[in-house]
Amino acid sequence: MTVCLLLLTVVALTAAGPAPRALTRADWPEREPVVALWVWQCLVATVLLCALAALTLGTAAVFHTVRDHVFAPAPPAVTAAYDLSAAPVWAALLTLLLACGAAWTTAMLGRELVEARRSRSRARARLRERAPDLPAGLPVARGPMLVLEDEYPDAWWMPGHPPQLVVTTGALHRLTGHQLDAVLTHERGHARAHHDWLLHLSTALATGFPRVPLFAHFRDQTHRLVELAADDTASRRCGHLTTALALIELNQHRGVLSCASSRRLLGERVDRLLEPPPRLLRRQRALTTTVAALVPLLPLLITFAPGLKALS
C-alpha cells in the first residue's frame, strides 16, 4: 500500500504542477479550444481520482470497518497484497489531510451550486422586471428567446429550465441578419456544450484551493477557451468575418479594442477571427484526445495493480 500511495502522490503532484504550466505555455490550445478543454478536464480528473484512491486506501488501512467493506468481495490473497496492516504513520496523516480536502471540495462545490442558483434566480427576476408587459388576454409564454428593450446591444444565454436566449433591441437594431445569426449560434454553442457547468466546477475548485496551480489555471483557461470554442462554432456556420463584426458591434460601447486587461480577451478573439490560426491535423487531434483520456486511468491502474497481480 505504501508504494501505491507514493505513486499516487507523484502522479497527482505532476498533474497539479508541471503539467498545467506546460499546457498554458503551449500555443496549440488556441487552435483547438475544444480539445484543450478536454485535456484540462482530464488533468483535473486525474488529480481528483488520485486523491480519492489514496483516501480509500488510507481509510481502509486505518479503519478496519472500512477495510472489511472495501475488500469484502475480494479473495484473501488480494487483501494481503495491499498489506494494509503495516501502514506507516504518515499514511494516517495523509488520510486525514485527504479527508479534510474531500470535505472542503464538497463544501466548495455545494456553495458554488447554491450561489449559481441564487444568481440565476436574481437574474430571472430582473429579466421579468425589464421584460415588456404583454397586452391583456395574451398568455405569458416562456419561449427560447426573450427580447429586452435596451439601447445597448447585448445578447446572452440564460441557463435554467427552460434555458432562454436574451437579446436587447439595441442588438437587433445594430446587427445585420447574418451577424445576429452568428451571435445566436455562439450562445447556442455555450448551451449545447454545457459550458456553464464547466465554469462552475473550475470556479469552485479554484476558490477552494487557490494555491494549487492546476485549479487556478483551469479556471482562467476555461473562461477563455469556452469563448474561443463558441466563436469557432459561430464562425464555422456564419463565417469568420461576420462573427468578428458581430463581436465588435456588440462590444464597441465597452471598448472591445482597448488595452484594458478586462477587454484584452475580446481583442484577442477579434484578432483570432480575422486571422484564424490553422487547426491541428485530424490525426493530431485524435492522438491528443486519446492520450488525455488515458491519463485519468493511471490512478486506477496504480490502485488495482497489487490486486490484479495477486489474482494472476
Side-chain angles (χ1 to χ4, degrees), residues 155-181:
W156 67 92
W157 189 266
M158 177 66 66
H161 301 286
Q164 282 186 309
L165 178 64
V166 184
V167 182
T168 64
T169 53
L172 296 179
H173 294 152
R174 185 182 291 267
L175 299 177
T176 65
H178 292 297
Q179 292 173 357
L180 184 59
D181 287 340

Side-chain angles (χ1 to χ4, degrees), residues 24-49:
T24 53
R25 289 195 295 265
D27 59 351
W28 68 265
E30 183 178 352
R31 301 161 61 184
E32 295 292 344
V34 176
V35 178
L37 282 171
W38 172 250
V39 174
W40 280 108
Q41 293 175 72
C42 290
L43 284 178
V44 172
T46 301
V47 173
L48 296 180
L49 284 174

